[in-house]
């Protein structure tokens, strides 16, 4: 009986100990939860601060009122209601050669550029970068281009204007190889022959359906060393690794294009750039 009482007393002590431990554990969990919430708030605040700091590094490329800071043919380029417009009007003389509005803010090498674009059904345009002037014609550029078209056939691809032509079609991650001795590299079938498709980014229909018709689309160009990435509405459309030291460009001009063809209209706004070097 005495042994039974001792066991009962020991059990009661254990119950009290468990209850106290449970109370302590609950308090600890509650404190950690509060601390975690505060930590999450701090982390969110830090993220917001980091985003704000990151945004401060971007420079507006358009003033929204004039073509100040740009050079081009005002027959085809104008600003209305804060929007940059490139247009081939039906009642005007047809455009004979592709014409560019060229940014006068420098010749960046590595950068991130963002903008919104809207283009008519028959429109053909693009954003050139790391480009040089094609001096035989006024307001002409040759170099890398993030292609844009109203029919969504080419939007997002990397087409090199007046040089190697297509380097990566939409949906491709491609490498442009160094030209080795004895290798013939040329533009054939509107694409550069000395390129290799490394990977398929996504289903082509999925990528095409990401692009909005007759509506505003977000475009982002990221140039980092020899890697050139084009995004539309947050989706990677094409990527080029340019190992062709003979033909690649490491820096150059930026410009927006109106392409020869039928009457068309392309609009740009919220154009910004963060130059890294």
């Amino acid at each position: 009986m005495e042994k039974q009482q001792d066991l009962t007393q020991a059990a009661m002590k254990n119950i009290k100990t468990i209850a106290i431990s449970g109370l302590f554990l609950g308090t600890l969990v509650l404190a950690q939860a509060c601390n975690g919430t505060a930590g999450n708030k701090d982390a969110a605040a830090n993220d917001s601060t980091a985003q704000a700091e990151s945004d401060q590094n971007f420079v507006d490329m358009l003033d929204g009122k004039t073509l100040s800071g740009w050079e081009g043919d005002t027959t085809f380029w104008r600003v209305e209601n804060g929007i940059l417009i490139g247009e081939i009007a039906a009642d005007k003389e047809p455009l004979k050669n592709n014409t560019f509005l060229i940014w006068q803010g420098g010749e960046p090498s590595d950068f991130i550029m963002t903008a919104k674009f809207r283009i008519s059904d028959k429109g053909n345009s693009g954003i050139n970068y790391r480009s040089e002037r094609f001096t035989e014609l006024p307001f002409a550029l040759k170099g890398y281009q993030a292609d844009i078209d109203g029919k969504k056939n080419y939007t997002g691809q990397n087409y090199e204007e007046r040089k190697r032509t297509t380097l990566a079609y939409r949906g491709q991650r491609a490498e442009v190889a160094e030209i080795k001795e004895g290798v013939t590299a040329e533009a054939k079938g509107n694409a550069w022959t000395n390129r290799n498709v490394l990977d398929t980014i996504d289903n082509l229909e999925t990528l095409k359906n990401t692009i909005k018709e007759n509506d505003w689309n977000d475009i982002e160009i990221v140039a980092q060393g020899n890697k050139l990435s084009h995004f539309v509405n947050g989706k990677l459309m094409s990527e080029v690794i340019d190992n062709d030291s003979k033909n690649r460009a490491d820096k150059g001009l930026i410009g927006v294009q109106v392409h020869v063809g039928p009457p068309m209209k392309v609009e740009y706004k919220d154009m910004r750039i963060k130059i890294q070097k």
Side-chain angles (χ1 to χ4, degrees):
M1 186 67 179
E2 186 175 316
K3 188 174 182 180
Q4 182 70 30
Q5 288 177 342
D6 290 342
L7 290 173
T8 302
Q9 290 174 354
M12 292 299 293
K13 286 181 181 180
N14 287 339
I15 291 170
K16 289 179 181 178
T17 301
I18 291 168
I20 292 170
S21 298
L23 179 61
F24 175 75
L25 181 61
T27 304
L28 181 61
V29 169
L30 180 61
Q32 288 176 336
C34 292
N35 289 337
T37 302
N40 289 338
K41 287 181 179 178
D42 290 342
N46 290 337
D47 288 344
S48 298
T49 302
Q51 183 63 44
E53 290 174 353
S54 176
D55 287 346
Q56 288 175 1
N57 293 327
F58 278 86
V59 174
D60 290 328
M61 301 174 74
L62 301 168
D63 68 12
K65 299 176 182 178
T66 69
L67 294 175
S68 176
W70 295 77
E71 180 188 0
D73 189 339
T74 55
T75 304
F76 304 100
W77 295 100
R78 67 185 188 274
V79 175
E80 289 182 2
N81 302 317
I83 297 171
L84 172 63
I85 300 171
E87 184 173 22
I88 301 175
D91 60 346
K92 298 288 179 64
E93 186 177 341
L95 181 63
K96 295 179 180 179
N97 297 287
N98 297 347
T99 189
F100 287 83
L101 187 68
I102 304 168
W103 188 54
Q104 302 297 289
E107 299 185 20
S109 174
D110 289 5
F111 65 89
I112 300 172
M113 178 182 171
T114 62
K116 294 181 185 296
F117 73 86
R118 181 169 62 186
I119 190 166
S120 61
D121 291 338
K122 296 181 180 179
N124 192 336
S125 183
I127 302 174
N128 263 55
Y129 59 97
R130 289 190 183 177
S131 295
E132 60 183 304
R133 290 181 184 270
F134 181 68
T135 55
E136 288 84 349
L137 294 169
F139 311 120
L141 291 177
K142 56 181 181 178
Y144 300 117
Q145 183 182 115
D147 216 336
I148 295 171
D149 74 302
K151 294 186 182 299
K152 306 195 302 184
N153 290 328
Y154 310 111
T155 300
Q157 74 175 16
N158 193 317
Y159 180 85
E160 195 173 37
E161 176 91 356
R162 295 187 181 275
K163 291 183 73 177
R164 294 171 291 177
T165 66
T166 304
L167 302 181
Y169 289 104
R170 185 169 62 217
Q172 292 182 343
R173 181 177 284 109
E175 177 203 15
V176 183
E178 187 76 84
I179 300 176
K180 298 179 181 178
E181 187 176 352
V183 173
T184 300
E186 60 182 343
K188 188 175 181 181
N190 210 33
W192 189 244
T193 57
N194 200 37
R195 68 185 195 97
N196 305 303
V197 178
L198 303 175
D199 192 15
T200 299
I201 294 170
D202 205 337
N203 178 274
L204 291 179
E205 279 302 307
T206 299
L207 293 178
K208 185 174 183 177
N209 291 335
T210 299
I211 305 162
K212 302 172 188 174
E213 297 178 30
N214 298 304
D215 200 356
W216 289 105
N217 291 274
D218 292 306
I219 188 167
E220 180 178 5
I221 301 168
V222 181
Q224 297 281 351
N226 67 338
K227 185 169 77 170
L228 312 167
S229 308
H230 298 169
F231 299 83
V232 176
N233 295 327
K235 191 77 173 175
L236 180 63
M237 293 283 160
S238 69
E239 192 165 79
V240 170
I241 308 298
D242 197 348
N243 290 322
D244 182 356
S245 60
K246 181 180 179 181
N247 292 298
R248 75 178 177 220
D250 297 320
K251 66 175 184 177
L253 297 166
I254 291 174
V256 286
Q257 181 198 63
V258 166
H259 198 285
V260 293
M264 60 147 285
K265 185 177 181 181
V266 64
E267 300 168 276
Y268 292 97
K269 66 178 182 178
D270 300 339
M271 190 177 288
R272 305 194 307 160
I273 189 169
K274 179 166 69 172
I275 298 174
Q276 296 167 321
K277 72 174 183 177

